[in-house]
Amino acid sequence: MAAEQAKVDPMYQFTIEPLGGSEAWELAGYNIAFTNSAMWMLITTVVLFIFVLGGMRRQLVPGRWQMMVETFTGFIDNMLEANIGKAGRKYVPYVFSLFMFILFANLLGLLPLGVIGLHPFTFTSHFTVTGVLAIISFSIVLLVGFWKHGLHFFSLFVPHGTPLPMIPVIAPIEFISFMVRPFSLGLRLFVAMMAGHVLLEVLSSFVIDGTNAGAGFGLLVGLPSFILMIGICALELLVAGIQAYVFALLTSLYINDAENLH
Amino acid sequence: MPQIAQLADTWSSQVFWLLVFFGITFFVIGKGMVPKVMDTVAQRDGQIAADLAAAKAARDAADEQEEAWRVKENENRAAAQAIVAKAKDEAAKKSEKKLAAAQKRLDKKLAEAEVRIDEARTAALAEVESVATEAAQDIVKTLAGVSVTKPVAAKAVKEQMAHG
């Protein structure tokens, strides 16, 4: 791209392309082409599998790898126990999968594979993906809530200690804020990942265009942009972790609502 | 923005593959592997807790034994001190008795000696008197040619001696 008139399209990185002539694959009338997005989901799953497999040596005195995996499971376990209580332990498999899947997807999408000609794809920058994850979390909240409390689950919309005349006002507001949860959950991750990647791409276009425009522009625009890019890359690594954490944390908070009401 | 531009074409494939791979992640990794990892952690925590409890029990037992030993030691020391005190007491009594006996013996000897001295002094005085009487008789006879009877001489001598 850079060779031909240094045209950098910051949105191109989000383009989905079917791989290996799979664009015509269909299941029950729906297209299920194996795209680059699906490819990176596969890579994420495989890398995560290998990572956790390394923690399965079950030694009494753990090695570094085992320690690392146990740190992550312990982290999720503690988070669920802090937010939900003892009942939170049964959600560890789901929240761990969610957290690690998003974390690995974010980090793998940041790999500088462009250097060797590959194109990393961050599928968490697509709201179709984050939306599905958010809907799964929200569905679990609804299922657990109605399973455990039945229709009493609706008392969630009446915060404890609300004066009786306020209930008709408060309840709709609570209901709306409850229904907004899956959207905020999915959009937050999607927006954060997309914004970071667009920012990096825009800065890289500054570097390329500035340098192509001459040494003066290169020093004036390209170099500061490049230095800024390095900083933003570190920030993006942080954001990758934080967004995965936020997704898992909010999921556990919502599950807490379903488990314990208020 | 490809996310929206390609939505109609790609949403089904995105959702499908996400469900496939997240499903694999959840059922294989989350359900299959994570509980084992956590089990290992729980086992280790249990082992550590058990070891700590064992160590604590051992320390408590050691403390108890030390306490018992201390009590016994104190008892032994007290007993030893009692024996020493008793022995000291006995020895003191014995030596006192011996001293008393020795004192008595000495007193007796002293008394005897004093009696003897008195006797000797009396005898010596009597001797001196008789000698002085004879000497007085001799002196009077020689100087005055008067023969003085013994009782008279003795009386004069006694008078002179009483005067000193």
Side-chain angles (χ1 to χ4, degrees):
Chain A
M1 274 191 305
E4 46 185 59
Q5 204 42 48
K7 185 93 176 96
V8 177
D9 177 7
M11 287 302 172
Y12 177 74
Q13 56 178 327
F14 303 118
T15 311
I16 296 172
E17 288 160 343
L19 298 177
S22 65
E23 59 262 40
W25 289 6
E26 281 195 1
L27 184 75
Y30 292 106
N31 179 282
I32 54 158
F34 192 80
T35 59
N36 51 351
S37 175
M39 183 66 195
W40 282 89
M41 291 176 197
L42 171 65
I43 292 170
T44 300
T45 306
V46 170
V47 172
L48 182 55
F49 178 79
I50 293 167
F51 175 72
V52 179
L53 193 67
M56 296 259 293
R57 263 170 287 173
R58 322 205 63 177
Q59 285 162 338
L60 188 63
V61 178
R64 282 169 202 218
W65 197 320
Q66 193 185 340
M67 196 72 220
M68 208 149 62
V69 176
E70 284 172 2
T71 306
F72 275 112
T73 60
F75 168 67
I76 298 295
D77 190 29
N78 285 338
M79 186 173 79
L80 286 170
E81 200 174 317
N83 288 322
I84 303 176
K86 280 283 166 213
R89 295 207 85 172
K90 59 177 172 287
Y91 302 106
V92 168
Y94 173 67
V95 178
F96 180 84
S97 307
L98 192 65
F99 174 72
M100 295 306 273
F101 195 67
I102 295 172
L103 180 68
F104 274 54
N106 292 352
L107 291 177
L108 288 171
L110 278 173
L111 285 181
L113 294 180
V115 182
I116 54 168
L118 291 173
H119 184 70
F121 183 90
T122 319
F123 58 83
T124 43
S125 64
H126 275 251
F127 58 78
T128 33
V129 173
T130 60
V132 168
L133 292 175
I135 287 167
I136 294 172
S137 286
F138 194 66
S139 309
I140 288 173
V141 171
L142 290 180
L143 284 175
V144 170
F146 283 115
W147 185 269
K148 271 196 76 128
H149 304 290
L151 291 180
H152 193 60
F153 183 53
F154 284 113
S155 74
L156 190 66
F157 302 132
V158 182
H160 200 68
T162 313
L164 203 62
M166 292 297 283
I167 288 179
V169 186
I170 299 281
I173 296 174
E174 286 285 324
F175 179 72
I176 290 167
S177 85
F178 183 76
M179 292 312 287
V180 161
R181 280 174 182 183
F183 296 98
S184 70
L185 200 56
L187 286 177
R188 183 182 294 111
L189 176 58
F190 147 67
V191 165
M193 295 322 294
M194 197 185 95
H197 284 261
V198 169
L199 184 58
L200 283 177
E201 203 84 354
V202 169
L203 285 172
S204 74
S205 81
F206 285 174
V207 176
I208 294 165
D209 289 346
T211 313
N212 282 352
F217 276 110
L219 279 177
L220 198 69
V221 177
L223 194 63
S225 298
F226 186 69
I227 292 166
L228 187 61
M229 263 185 89
I230 295 171
I232 301 276
C233 278
L235 185 71
E236 281 307 305
L237 288 174
L238 188 70
V239 168
I242 286 176
Q243 288 302 326
Y245 173 62
V246 166
F247 204 104
L249 179 69
L250 286 176
T251 297
S252 69
L253 286 176
Y254 297 160
I255 292 174
N256 175 45
D257 279 350
E259 271 282 338
N260 305 320
L261 290 181
H262 271 302
Chain B
M1 199 160 141
Q3 286 95 329
I4 293 170
Q6 292 184 305
L7 185 60
D9 296 332
T10 59
W11 72 269
S12 52
S13 124
Q14 289 277 72
V15 170
F16 175 76
W17 289 113
L18 176 68
L19 290 179
V20 167
F21 290 120
F22 188 69
I24 292 171
T25 302
F26 175 65
F27 285 108
V28 176
I29 298 173
K31 280 276 192 194
M33 295 158 89
V34 168
K36 283 178 189 155
V37 173
M38 288 178 67
D39 201 39
T40 312
V41 176
Q43 260 177 27
R44 182 181 315 126
D45 288 351
Q47 172 107 42
I48 290 170
D51 286 357
L52 280 177
K56 191 174 179 302
R59 201 187 55 198
D60 286 352
D63 280 355
E64 217 165 81
Q65 281 188 1
E66 197 194 335
E67 191 56 41
W69 174 82
R70 203 185 299 278
V71 166
K72 208 169 158 196
E73 175 76 7
N74 283 345
E75 269 168 18
N76 286 346
R77 188 169 298 161
Q81 269 167 356
I83 288 171
V84 168
K86 201 173 152 209
K88 228 185 233 171
D89 208 37
E90 269 172 15
K93 252 183 213 158
K94 216 187 236 168
S95 65
E96 213 169 85
K97 220 188 256 168
K98 257 189 191 161
L99 272 175
Q103 190 70 40
K104 217 183 250 169
R105 235 177 17 246
L106 279 174
D107 285 353
K108 206 169 135 200
K109 258 190 189 159
L110 214 60
E112 277 173 9
E114 270 170 9
V115 167
R116 265 209 310 279
I117 289 166
D118 270 358
E119 272 171 9
R121 192 192 287 149
T122 321
L125 273 174
E127 195 96 340
V128 167
E129 261 181 44
S130 77
V131 169
T133 308
E134 275 170 21
Q137 271 177 316
D138 281 351
I139 290 162
V140 170
K141 202 175 175 180
T142 323
L143 287 178
V146 186
S147 178
V148 186
T149 57
K150 211 173 183 180
V152 175
K155 197 181 161 207
V157 166
K158 224 171 234 163
E159 259 171 28
Q160 281 304 310
M161 278 176 81
H163 285 271

